[in-house]
Amino acid sequence: MKASQFHIATLKEAPADAEVVSHKLMLRAGMIKKLSAGIYTYMPMGLRVIRKVERIVREEMDRAGAIELTMPIVQPAELWQETGRFAKMGPELLRIKDRHERDFVIQPTSEEVVTDIARQELHSYKQLPKNFYQIQTKFRDERRPRFGLMRGREFIMKDAYSFDRDAEGAQRSYAIMAQAYRRIFDRFGLRYRAVAADSGAIGGDLSEEFQVIAATGEDAIVYCPTSDYAANLEKAEALPPQGPRPAPTQPLTRTPTPGRSTCAQVAELLGVPLQRTVKSIVLASDEVNERDEVVATRIWLLLLRGDHDMNEVKVGKLPGLALGWRFATEAEIIEHFGCKPGYLGPVGTRKPVTVVADREVAVMADWICGANEVDHHLTGVNWGRDLPEPDLVADIRNVVAGDLSPDGKGVLAIERGIEVGHVFYLGTKYSRAMNATFLDEDGKPKPFEMGCYGIGITRLPAAAIEQNHDERGIIWPDAIAPFTVVICPIGMERSATVREAAQRLYEELLAAGVDVILDDRGERPGAMFADWELIGVPHRLTLGERGLKDGVVEYQHRRDTAPTPVPLAQAADWVRARIQV
């Protein structure tokens, strides 16, 4: 490709609404163009990156035995009604009607459609296992689209779906996909972690996220530097507290704490570590009838150490809360505790509540909590002596850096990441809902065991930029750069020597299969270099009349601080040896 034939449109400044680095640089480099909130045109430079991402994904999916198809973007609501997701999914699911007033959705994902394909096409266990995948446009009506391609409304995604005859086979398919994902992300040339994850709204059991490491990432990744343990913050656990609970050493005392309603304020006032305090969080779960009317409400008191935060995902899995919960209203709190929030505790409640203690709180002695009286706390609180043992002891907190790893092989650390891939073992969640069955060896119908595997094709370039950039612009890994090599001839419009040498080098690299672009626009050196540094092409060869007189050109990797002189005759081989794809 020659630059004069391509479309290059760089900007000196990013639009004011661009917030994160990747959004700013993709707009400035002319890779995307905003059409509407969360909806972008992929311009030629950006599309080349996306196509390279797709190619790597496609090659590794094919290698893993998956079969490509393409499912419609517009899907009939009937399929989504079979699984209940048409009603359950919020406004992120874009619902539309056709001219006949029939309901359709713009797909955010395709579990229903692919399950419908399986129940029509896969009739016997002899046809299993199967794994269908697509690379297709999706739409989620995000309430607040932002960060460019990181959280857009329209995006491209690779989603794959495996079908097996039993759980053992499904887990084998899952393992094959998890390994394929590792090959894919290795080839992208990005620093990433595969972390155990909660499966969220899609459902399922086994679940891993693939997170690109970046300081600007929205997700917290928990890992042990001295072992293989890694999980996202929602899923991560610490080693349970060891040893028996200490015996009480202090009397229960009602202590004035005027104006101190938080654990941190109380700890400071009393001159004790924050870890000695216990925070109270009040939840409610409602029982409803067939008309969706609330017929009974249960109040829950969750107790966490003062320096810990509640993990809502873990709480949502507790018996009695798995069907849904909410934070209690102030009226409900006053009714049960006789006090407004800020001074609540489990001792002396007005009405019975279900007490759930975090594992750390369950082994504490002589702790401090609210006294259910404004401006007062209790010190020297002990289980068994001052209040009954908790109704339930569970892990309900977020881990923190320095916690012991659950595998016992070190302490936990936390870094930021951007989710770009996710693999799920779904089980029979969708096949049972849609009555998707096959005839097993015994001649009886059985539901498919399913897995689901996604990669954010258009999110991945943005994540790559968040990880790889500097003050001059993007620094692409070789495998997904829009061009791998750029040739920058200086004064080629004035010098036949430069023009001919650049053309020969360009043709030599093309013949060797290198993705090279020749900048023949006649730009000044400063402007030309600034464009390619902003765009982020990783390898640059610069030719000038002065250097060519000595038979040399200059090579510079995008991360290098200075160029390296290279003999012209060896330039093509030199740069080829440094390309990592």
Side-chain angles (χ1 to χ4, degrees):
M1 178 62 66
K2 293 187 177 180
S4 60
Q5 301 169 326
F6 200 64
H7 181 72
I8 300 171
T10 58
L11 301 173
K12 289 186 178 181
E13 300 292 336
D17 64 345
E19 299 174 82
V20 296
V21 170
S22 58
H23 192 191
K24 293 176 181 178
L25 291 178
M26 292 191 89
L27 288 167
R28 287 189 57 210
M31 296 193 169
I32 58 174
K33 194 171 185 66
K34 182 177 177 180
L35 180 63
S36 181
I39 301 175
Y40 293 85
T41 298
Y42 308 125
M43 299 299 287
M45 194 70 74
L47 186 60
R48 288 184 67 88
V49 177
I50 292 168
R51 291 291 181 252
K52 288 189 176 183
V53 171
E54 289 178 349
R55 177 178 59 81
I56 291 172
V57 170
R58 189 171 273 116
E59 288 175 0
E60 293 299 336
M61 291 300 293
D62 293 346
R63 176 181 169 188
I67 307 160
E68 187 172 10
L69 48 67
T70 301
M71 290 174 275
I73 296 173
V74 178
Q75 302 176 354
E78 287 90 340
L79 295 178
W80 287 72
Q81 288 164 347
E82 286 188 57
T83 61
R85 292 208 297 175
F86 186 76
K88 289 179 182 177
M89 283 193 75
E92 290 79 14
L93 179 64
L94 183 60
R95 300 162 174 86
I96 60 174
K97 291 182 181 290
D98 67 6
R99 68 178 66 195
H100 304 293
E101 290 298 305
R102 293 178 298 209
D103 289 314
F104 288 82
V105 304
I106 306 297
Q107 65 149 351
T109 181
S110 285
E111 282 82 6
E112 282 82 359
V113 172
V114 79
T115 304
D116 182 57
I117 290 170
R119 69 183 175 184
Q120 295 186 56
E121 298 289 329
L122 305 178
H123 308 295
S124 168
Y125 73 94
K126 295 180 180 179
Q127 296 173 275
L128 303 177
K130 282 287 188 297
N131 188 332
F132 297 116
Y133 81 95
Q134 65 172 350
I135 297 176
Q136 176 64 294
T137 299
K138 305 293 179 66
F139 189 92
R140 290 178 187 162
D141 199 3
E142 293 274 0
R143 182 173 68 174
R144 190 185 170 202
R146 54 182 180 155
F147 303 157
L149 301 189
M150 294 276 282
R151 190 182 290 179
R153 297 163 74 202
E154 182 183 279
F155 53 94
I156 300 172
M157 185 173 174
K158 188 283 300 177
D159 47 336
Y161 305 91
S162 60
F163 296 86
D164 283 271
R165 62 185 293 192
D166 53 30
E168 184 179 350
Q171 291 181 27
R172 282 196 298 270
S173 293
Y174 177 96
I176 290 170
M177 281 292 99
Q179 190 57 44
Y181 270 46
R182 285 163 172 79
R183 291 196 302 270
I184 289 169
F185 288 103
D186 286 344
R187 288 183 62 182
F188 287 150
L190 301 174
R191 290 183 297 110
Y192 74 94
R193 289 189 185 275
V195 301
D198 185 77
S199 53
I202 292 183
D205 300 314
L206 286 175
S207 180
E208 286 178 283
E209 289 174 353
F210 289 78
Q211 297 267 1
V212 169
I213 307 305
T216 54
E218 291 186 284
D219 298 326
I221 304 167
V222 180
Y223 69 101
C224 178
T226 54
S227 76
D228 294 332
Y229 179 79
N232 67 12
L233 190 62
E234 294 175 340
K235 182 87 170 180
E237 297 183 9
L239 192 70
Q242 304 297 306
R245 178 194 300 158
T249 62
Q250 299 177 3
L252 179 67
T253 305
R254 177 176 166 276
T255 304
T257 55
R260 273 71 167 188
S261 60
T262 69
C263 288
Q265 292 170 338
V266 171
E268 182 182 17
L269 175 69
L270 301 181
V272 299
L274 184 58
Q275 293 88 335
R276 288 272 307 280
T277 66
V278 170
K279 66 175 65 171
S280 298
I281 300 173
V282 187
L283 307 181
S285 58
D286 297 319
E287 181 183 339
V288 298
N289 59 22
E290 63 277 1
R291 294 186 298 277
D292 208 30
E293 299 168 335
V294 176
V295 295
T297 297
R298 184 178 180 183
I299 300 299
W300 303 68
L301 177 63
L302 274 56
L303 301 177
L304 293 97
R305 212 169 70 184
D307 59 330
H308 289 158
D309 293 321
M310 183 179 80
N311 184 308
E312 294 190 8
V313 171
K314 293 178 182 178
V315 168
K317 295 180 183 296
L318 295 178
L321 293 175
L323 295 179
W325 58 270
R326 59 179 173 82
F327 289 101
T329 66
E330 184 170 302
E332 289 171 330
I333 291 171
I334 293 173
E335 178 186 357
H336 285 77
F337 295 88
C339 180
K340 292 182 178 180
Y343 300 91
L344 306 179
V347 181
T349 59
R350 282 189 176 179
K351 286 188 173 183
V353 298
T354 302
V355 177
V356 181
D358 182 70
R359 296 185 305 190
E360 298 286 343
V361 175
V363 297
M364 289 174 64
D366 299 329
W367 38 280
I368 301 166
C369 68
N372 294 323
E373 181 182 351
V374 173
D375 290 338
H376 288 81
H377 280 73
L378 296 176
T379 61
V381 182
N382 284 273
W383 295 107
R385 187 192 71 182
D386 306 315
L387 75 167
E389 295 291 337
D391 298 294
L392 178 65
V393 175
D395 174 21
I396 57 173
R397 71 174 178 95
N398 289 330
V399 301
V400 295
D403 281 338
L404 296 176
S405 177
D407 59 13
K409 296 181 180 179
V411 298
L412 296 176
I414 299 177
E415 59 189 355
R416 309 302 298 181
I418 300 166
E419 183 188 346
V420 290
H422 208 154
V423 292
F424 302 88
Y425 166 44
L426 293 174
T428 59
K429 176 182 175 72
Y430 292 91
S431 56
R432 286 189 184 277
M434 298 184 67
N435 194 29
T437 63
F438 66 96
L439 291 181
D440 206 359
E441 198 168 6
D442 58 6
K444 296 180 180 178
K446 291 184 179 178
F448 296 102
E449 293 277 349
M450 293 176 58
C452 171
Y453 319 94
I455 290 177
I457 299 293
T458 44
R459 181 180 243 211
L460 198 137
I465 294 170
E466 293 292 333
Q467 188 181 94
N468 299 277
H469 67 272
D470 61 15
E471 68 282 355
R472 293 174 291 168
I474 303 166
I475 308 174
W476 288 110
D478 291 358
I480 57 176
F483 295 95
T484 312
V485 179
V486 58
I487 298 173
C488 292
I490 297 175
M492 69 177 293
E493 70 282 1
R494 302 186 305 270
S495 170
T497 301
V498 173
R499 187 164 55 250
E500 291 167 4
Q503 182 67 29
R504 285 196 304 272
L505 185 55
Y506 170 67
E507 291 174 355
E508 187 177 355
L509 287 169
L510 277 181
V514 175
D515 188 13
V516 58
I517 185 167
L518 171 62
D519 193 339
D520 59 346
R521 296 176 297 166
E523 293 279 356
R524 291 178 294 104
M528 180 165 51
F529 294 161
D531 272 351
W532 296 112
E533 288 170 346
L534 173 60
I535 292 167
V537 173
H539 304 274
R540 187 176 79 202
L541 290 168
T542 304
L543 292 76
E545 197 162 26
R546 182 182 303 173
L548 290 175
K549 286 180 181 178
D550 298 325
V552 298
V553 300
E554 290 184 340
Y555 165 81
Q556 188 167 355
H557 187 274
R558 178 63 180 77
R559 294 188 185 276
D560 293 345
T561 56
T564 301
V566 177
L568 175 61
Q570 300 172 20
D573 290 336
W574 176 279
V575 73
R576 286 174 59 201
R578 281 155 180 77
I579 295 172
Q580 299 178 355
V581 292

